[in-house]
Amino acid sequence: MNDDTRSPGQQRIHQEVHRILHTAEQAGRYELYEYEVYQILETLKLNIPRYQLIQGEDEITRSLLSSFGSSKVVMKIVSPRVAHKEKLGGVKILHKDADFIRYSYQAMVKNFQDLGFSVEGVLLVEYIEYSPELGNEVMIGFRESETFGPVISFSKGGSDAEHFAAHFSAPNLLLPPLSPEWARALLSSTEIQKKYLQDGKQDYLEQIIDVKMKFSSLSTAFSSFFEGDDEFILTDFEINPFVFDPDHRLIALDGYALFARKESASPLGIDRPPASSLDAFFHPQGIAVVGVSASDPDRPGNIIASNLIKLGRKDVYCVNPRGGELIMEGKSVPLYPDLTKLPGPAELVVVTVPAIATPSVVTQAAETECKALLLIPGGFSESSRNTGPEEEMLALCRQKGIRIMGPNCLGIVYAGSDTSPGINTFFIPEKKFRLDLSRKQNMALFSQSGALGLVELAQLRHAVSPKVVVSYGNQLDVDPCDLVNYWSEDPDIRVMGVYIEGFSPGGGRRFFDIASRGLNDPGRAPIVVYKAGRTREGKMATQSHTASMAGEYAVAKAALKQAGLIVADTMADHLGYIKTFAMLTDKKAYGLRCAVVTNAGYEKANAADNLGQLTLADLDETCRKSLAELLPGFVTIEALLDLTPMVGDELFVQTVRTLIESDSVDCLLVSIVPHAGFLHTTDEEIESYPANIAAGIVELNKTVEKPLIVSLTATSGLGSEYNKMGQLLESGGVPVFLSAEQAMRNLEEFVRYHLIREQNRLEEWIR
């Protein structure tokens, strides 16, 4: 924000904060003293205690002490680089006795000088009386993340704040700039709001929201992630605690702040090319595969070229410096010695040669009509930590307007369209990996790890056909922001799955900005994200794999949820949510009322224990009467309906129909223990008995709009004797899970997501 667009009040605040930072820098400091933090808070018109900087004992007079309202004062050491003043004796609560305070001043200063610290003086601060009960101490602050930019935090305050956050309730986080609605949502998403309302302290809420709004403006005004003319960044700014005094005033007691000089380049990088710059990856005019062997058909280049030819492409050029020809898919295919010798354009160049040879290929491609480079090989900075070759390739390609995907990736599988042939650069032998693209293609999968993409696709093979899969590797250039931005406009894509090991500096904020554009757009495809690097060990693992610069997981999770994304806590959830949202894309979430029908009592209990935010349906009289007429007398009519193992296929399906069609039921979990003797569930029985339970549920599911999910508790998985039952259900559009717990969690997430979106409840996005 430039001076000419700020209000006079904003200009005054900015100028004063800049003056404080500039003065500290001139003194050789990039950490503010507490009185300087107080000065910033005064500028923001926030409440602070009375304070006075003391640099000599003769400044401590009875007249000065009488100006402090309370019978006590707090003495704090003023010294740079002292992280824990209180532990070192740098904070004392003293009665207002001038002689004793002078003595305490001398003792405190000497103590810190003896410890080797330089001392600027002490700060005398008014002692604020307040009750330390829960809710009366809060911590509010912000810091500049290298990945996401400024992050506002709110949590319990006080001396035990760190312990409380680590073991009971983590800080609540939000990316600025905040609107009043988002500031209120951040507070509404916490449990402490309930206490304030129960205690009749609505005024507490308004004061906290006021602080958040002012900190939001301060954090963006002094940030490298937002346009502005200031040379400084506030990297950390924390008040712990703000306290409520007996008069209900929110007062800042202790403050801490760090700042830095703004780098010349924004972490957000250069202006990103438009989404259309990715066209050549998916709709290229010509594809060159560099690294095709004349003698080894199992080389990655050969498998990729073969894949492309099998898709019916007539514009594939194989490159080998020795030239010659080879037989591929029963045809003679020429080998061209280099990219400049091709008979036609190759807008996409797929590079499969080793890392050491890749830069020369990139240099050659830059002399042609190439618009997109797909770098398959690993062995770059993810293993050597040497970024030089990658930086040189990137600089050249930016100069030439060429986009890069990879390195260290599998590349692209794209089903194609009526006007564009498909693409498959996954160099996995067909006997080990085959992708069925025959079903409705409504899913996109973007994975930093190619191996995870393969595993998820294999597990989804009976349920979902993707339209596009991208393994983007080290994200030297193309990253998940670009991919989500490009495919978000495709009407066929009804769900996106994204696996992210880490964001490059600024990449998290870019992803947030792009993903959150459609927060209130009902037509936007849900985005399911799993962010790796949750633990120190996990972060190290992802860095060794793809050289990711993983940001703090808590910040990433908060930002992704604020953007309206579905954040999976486990890889199993990531897979499950993708499957559920893709398969239920035409279903509607009418409400939270859930019914369960099973043939085993333990699954009834398992489902009930995992309802989450779903509520057990209160079956209306019509539904109860229909079930009573339908079912044997030994079945208890309730929303957790246990049919027992004595019920057969037709009766089970009729029960499912009665529940799902009831006006008192919004969604349904069907839990089947397939071992029951009266059900036709084995592979042989599925083949020989067309009216089996799976076929009946599939046909019923086609006629209803409400979401229905099946738990099939086949202990050996769907690859056991119940393999065909699971395949029949999933190929027929019914999501299947191996326990009621998994099924219920996925059903809850689907319903919850769509209701939040419909009702636009901001606090639920970030809860």
Side-chain angles (χ1 to χ4, degrees), residues 24-187:
E25 184 187 49
Q26 286 188 316
R29 291 183 288 112
Y30 288 93
E31 177 181 351
L32 296 185
Y33 291 138
E34 196 157 45
Y35 71 86
E36 293 168 324
V37 176
Y38 284 162
Q39 289 171 358
I40 291 177
L41 296 176
E42 281 185 288
T43 303
L44 296 174
K45 296 184 178 179
L46 296 173
N47 296 322
I48 59 171
R50 175 173 171 74
Y51 67 93
Q52 181 65 48
L53 176 65
I54 303 296
Q55 295 181 301
E57 64 177 283
D58 57 341
E59 298 175 28
I60 303 172
T61 65
R62 289 180 174 81
S63 174
L64 171 67
L65 295 178
S66 66
S67 66
F68 290 88
S70 60
S71 61
K72 304 173 188 176
V73 292
V74 182
M75 179 181 287
K76 301 180 180 183
I77 194 70
V78 178
S79 175
R81 294 179 295 280
V82 179
H84 301 286
K85 296 191 293 286
E86 193 166 358
K87 291 181 180 179
L88 296 175
V91 180
K92 301 288 185 183
I93 299 174
L94 306 170
H95 286 281
K96 289 197 304 185
D97 180 293
D99 292 333
F100 184 69
I101 291 177
R102 291 191 197 100
Y103 164 77
S104 299
Y105 167 83
Q106 292 174 340
M108 184 178 286
V109 169
K110 183 177 185 304
N111 176 48
F112 275 82
Q113 288 175 338
D114 290 346
L115 291 171
F117 293 104
S118 63
V119 177
E120 298 290 325
V122 303
L123 195 65
L124 289 185
V125 183
E126 175 187 4
Y127 180 77
I128 302 296
E129 295 280 358
Y130 72 95
S131 168
E133 69 174 277
L134 187 63
N136 275 2
E137 296 177 303
V138 296
M139 180 169 66
I140 308 176
F142 61 85
R143 70 176 179 87
E144 176 114 338
S145 159
E146 70 171 7
T147 304
F148 287 92
V151 184
I152 304 291
S153 64
F154 169 70
S155 66
K156 180 191 179 301
S159 59
D160 60 349
E162 186 174 341
H163 178 82
F164 189 88
H167 299 285
F168 297 100
S169 179
N172 301 89
L173 307 171
L174 212 58
L175 300 193
L178 302 185
S179 65
E181 293 77 18
W182 271 116
R184 190 172 299 278
L186 179 58
L187 192 51

Side-chain angles (χ1 to χ4, degrees), residues 241-255:
F242 273 105
V243 302
F244 287 102
D245 73 1
D247 296 323
H248 288 209
R249 292 188 311 145
L250 184 61
I251 304 174
L253 292 194
D254 299 317

